Amino acid sequence: MATTAPLAGTEPKKLEKKPIKFSNLLLGGGLNMFEVTTLGQPLEVVKTTMAANRSDTFGGALSRIWARGGVAGYFQGLIPWAWIEASTKGAVLLFVASEAEYYAKSFGASDFVGGISGGMAGGVAQAYATMGFCTCMKTVEITKHKIAAKGVKPPGTFETFMDIYRKEGIRGINKGVNAVAIRQTTNWGSRFGLSRLAEQGIRRVTGKEEGQKLGGMEKVLASGLGGGLSAWNQPIEVIRVEMQSKTDDPNRPKKMTVGNTARYIYQSNGLKGLYRGVAPRIGLGVWQTICMVALGDMAKEAVEKLTGETVTAKH
């Protein structure tokens, strides 16, 4: 019996891991550092202040921050914690997301599902590898002014870090890390999915076909919508801040978990309390998008000239 050769072009596409390049890490780290050192940290400080002081209005939070240090008050926690976080979280995401996406696709997942799976796994890894202790220390820096209000000079950054480590060990400096992990995995999953939906909507409105490249402003709009709308999970961010803050309240649970912290906030401030700081968080998502998408192409060219490598990371 004669055998027929397989038709040309019908062979399944070979599954390959995305390479982890130094140029990709440099691009991600550089953009993250720029984002956090400009508007990123001030928005983070406002968001954290509103989440920790849930009776404050937006204007009240701005006044509170200004009163504790003027312009410098808006950059509390930047050095070294926000810089450590910004320079490392991109590398963690790239390594883990690449592996997770590869294995998801090897089990038959589509590109879309594989991308979400990789992002969500990368988000969890970010939390436990680097963001847990960084967000904890940033929150401590931002909220420890409550000690100063009592007339006591608050300890310095590293003194605070070592004091927490001596009293509570690794758990102490990673307080709220489970909440950070939930926030990160839902952030990446929803940001990826919502950005993709926004892209599809833009294509329908502009008449562009699937696969056809979007313009610069269209990419910013799609990613901005994805980043801004992913703030739906603000309650977990408020829970994270409360778990990590230096607030003294006899009504607070002694051993705080995600569940009992959520109950404490709801009982103290109602449903509104769980959404305090959502406006600056949306602003932060939009600013991150502008940095990664609008400035990404310029940064990509600079990194390629510096390293001689072709940057393959999406920004």
Side-chain angles (χ1 to χ4, degrees), residues 120 185-195 226 229-233:
M120 291 176 77
T185 192
T186 51
N187 256 6
W188 280 109
S190 57
R191 184 174 288 204
F192 186 96
L194 291 166
S195 296
L229 292 172
S230 63
W232 64 267
N233 65 358

Side-chain angles (χ1 to χ4, degrees), residues 46-78:
V46 175
K47 176 192 73 173
T48 302
T49 301
M50 290 183 74
N53 303 278
R54 290 180 292 278
S55 59
D56 279 6
T57 61
F58 183 73
L62 295 180
S63 300
R64 184 187 291 271
I65 296 163
W66 184 266
R68 68 173 182 243
V71 174
Y74 288 92
F75 289 90
Q76 274 187 304
L78 176 67

Side-chain angles (χ1 to χ4, degrees), residues 80-108:
W81 310 117
W83 277 5
I84 293 171
E85 181 185 325
S87 59
T88 56
K89 67 180 181 181
V92 173
L93 179 70
L94 276 173
F95 278 111
V96 177
S98 175
E99 290 292 316
E101 185 175 352
Y102 173 79
Y103 284 110
K105 287 181 179 178
S106 73
F107 285 107

Side-chain angles (χ1 to χ4, degrees), residues 137 140-141 144 155-165:
M137 293 310 301
V140 167
E141 283 291 301
K144 72 180 182 183
T157 295
F158 289 105
E159 192 181 340
T160 303
F161 178 86
M162 290 309 299
D163 186 51
I164 295 171
Y165 182 75

